[in-house]
């Protein structure tokens, strides 16, 4: 099962979006778990639970994007900023689709890198 973590300041404002994205994934029978967390708890969450396949940041913590990418670059997963308009409109299907595309592109990139290492 794939895991997508949504992050914001306290994990509250992304909770509704995470729930809506989970409903969308369930409707399409996608094996995905989507959970919202406060950004500051991410290191302990990653340590205690399985690694996510993607991390999404709410627009209100845009200033943490580069720091998050640098801190977790060794995970080699997509770390994306949720589009402010999509976030405001709770466009869960569009956000989920964008995330799945990023996950697929990341996997292809990693597979290509592995082949180049041979």
């Amino acid at each position: 099962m794939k895991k997508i973590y949504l992050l914001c300041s306290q994990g509250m404002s992304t909770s509704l979006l995470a729930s809506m994205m989970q409903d969308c994934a369930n409707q399409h029978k996608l094996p995905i778990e989507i959970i919202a967390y406060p950004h500051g708890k991410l290191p302990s969450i990653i340590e205690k639970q399985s690694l996510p396949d993607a991390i999404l940041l709410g627009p209100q913590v845009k200033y943490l994007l580069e720091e998050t990418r640098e801190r977790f670059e060794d995970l080699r997963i997509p770390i994306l900023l949720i589009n402010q308009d999509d976030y405001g409109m709770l466009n869960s299907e569009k956000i989920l689709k964008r995330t799945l595309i990023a996950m697929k592109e990341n996997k292809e990139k990693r597979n290509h890198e592995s082949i180049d290492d041979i």
Side-chain angles (χ1 to χ4, degrees):
M1 176 169 290
K2 301 288 184 188
K3 291 185 181 278
I4 299 172
Y5 294 166
L6 275 67
L7 307 175
C8 69
S9 298
Q10 300 299 320
M12 304 284 272
S13 60
T14 54
S15 293
L16 177 60
L17 179 59
S19 176
M20 293 175 70
M21 288 174 67
Q22 185 67 64
D23 289 345
C24 184
N26 293 345
Q27 288 173 0
H28 293 286
K29 298 181 182 354
L30 299 172
I32 299 173
E33 182 179 29
I34 303 167
I35 309 168
Y37 293 110
H39 185 273
K41 296 193 180 218
L42 184 60
S44 64
I45 291 164
I46 288 175
E47 187 177 303
K48 292 176 186 174
Q49 299 180 21
S50 62
L51 297 174
D53 296 283
I55 295 173
L56 305 179
L57 276 70
Q60 68 276 36
V61 291
K62 177 181 182 176
Y63 65 96
L64 294 171
L65 180 62
E66 288 309 313
E67 174 188 322
T68 304
R69 284 180 172 162
E70 288 173 12
R71 185 169 188 182
F72 298 105
E73 69 184 331
D74 59 323
L75 297 180
R76 300 178 67 194
I77 61 170
I79 299 175
L80 309 168
L81 180 66
I82 300 171
N83 176 282
Q84 187 167 353
D85 292 335
D86 293 336
Y87 187 87
M89 297 297 290
L90 294 173
N91 194 338
S92 57
E93 188 161 356
K94 186 174 180 183
I95 296 167
L96 179 59
K97 184 176 180 179
R98 179 176 176 238
T99 306
L100 294 174
I101 290 169
M103 290 166 58
K104 181 181 178 188
E105 289 172 349
N106 185 64
K107 182 179 179 182
E108 290 171 355
K109 178 183 173 189
R110 290 176 60 195
N111 286 343
H112 185 70
E113 288 173 354
S114 297
I115 292 170
D116 288 346
D117 290 340
I118 297 176

